[in-house]
Amino acid sequence: MNEQTLERLYALRLPSMADKLKEMEKDPQFAAMPFTDTLAMLVDAEYDSRSSKRIATLLKKARLKYSTACLEDLRYDPSRNLKKDVIRELRSCRFLTEANNILVSGATGTGKSYLACALGNLACRNGYRVGYYRLSVFLDAMAAERALGTYAKALEKLRKVKLLILDDLSADVLKAEERKILFDVIEERYLQGSVIVTSAVPVTQWNEVIGEPSAAEGICDRLFHHCHRIDLKGASMRKK
């Protein structure tokens, strides 16, 4: 084997291709393989390695509450009101390319956060940037950005996230500053990026939780336009 070739592959930051070349050199069955097939295997090795690393990086940065959640593990008990055809549509990732939102409601323990994280996992594995936050913590963090004068930069950073997950809209009415922040974030993402919002509060009552009528109308109007609604029911999954 030409050691210089290996050195140049490493220098070009093609380590997986170099490692695959060394592996193939040791196995006689590859000796008679056509050049195009050999090249294809080397390229595939590098491509697969980079794809795996990118997915791992996206998942790490997403900071999902349930990092291993996946759609394949969802339970479709009739009592849960979780429909396979809806999940099949979401699995296509069309909701991301079309910047549609997903609104998940249901009582405590019905699997809202798990479903949101499973969709986040799906997005990462398809190469999209994802950000997961508990809504209360997110609003506090953005309020701190405003106080520091870095609010505009924080909004700009969020624009690069294709899927924003805001987990657990509580029953407590939002404060004026929280409403302003939530409106800004939703407005910035309108028709540009997808948002998943989960809440134990029925979707029909979100305007009451948001508070001030005009702000609530503006936020809900943007969230509800082009969205998928999932209303989970049944007993707590934690008990099971």
Side-chain angles (χ1 to χ4, degrees), residues 6 190 218:
L6 288 175
Y190 182 58

Side-chain angles (χ1 to χ4, degrees), residues 47-208:
Y47 180 86
D48 291 344
S49 175
R50 293 193 180 197
S51 295
S52 296
K53 290 178 181 178
R54 174 167 171 74
I55 290 172
T57 298
L58 289 171
L59 286 169
K60 182 178 180 179
K61 289 184 176 181
R63 302 181 67 181
L64 299 173
K65 180 178 182 179
Y66 302 109
S67 60
T68 59
C70 61
L71 297 180
E72 289 74 17
D73 290 340
L74 293 178
R75 297 180 182 178
Y76 295 96
D77 299 342
S79 62
R80 296 196 68 204
N81 194 38
L82 184 60
K83 297 177 175 58
K84 289 186 178 180
D85 59 332
V86 173
I87 300 303
R88 189 180 302 113
E89 165 63 22
L90 295 178
R91 185 180 282 114
S92 70
C93 286
R94 193 176 296 113
F95 77 96
L96 289 169
T97 58
E98 297 178 356
N100 293 339
N101 301 320
I102 302 175
L103 314 180
V104 186
S105 60
T108 300
T110 50
K112 302 182 297 297
S113 296
Y114 186 92
L115 175 57
C117 289
L119 290 167
N121 191 313
L122 172 73
C124 288
R125 294 186 181 282
N126 279 272
Y128 296 105
R129 293 186 180 183
V130 177
Y132 169 92
Y133 305 89
R134 279 185 59 82
L135 181 56
S136 59
V137 176
F138 174 78
L139 293 175
D140 287 345
M142 292 298 286
E145 296 284 0
R146 290 189 71 181
L148 291 171
T150 53
Y151 187 60
K153 289 184 178 180
L155 287 175
E156 178 63 30
K157 184 178 179 180
L158 286 174
R159 290 193 194 100
K160 299 177 182 179
V161 175
K162 187 64 175 176
L163 175 61
L164 177 64
I165 302 174
L166 300 177
D167 197 10
D168 196 16
L169 172 66
S170 72
D172 297 329
V173 178
L174 297 181
K175 299 175 184 177
E177 183 180 31
E178 293 173 330
R179 281 194 297 271
K180 174 65 169 62
I181 292 170
L182 185 58
F183 178 84
D184 287 345
V185 171
I186 299 303
E187 169 64 17
E188 288 288 328
R189 301 189 63 76
Y190 182 58
L191 300 180
Q192 301 298 320
S194 300
V195 181
I196 296 179
V197 181
T198 74
S199 178
V201 179
V203 173
T204 54
Q205 298 176 23
W206 284 12
N207 59 332
E208 299 173 19

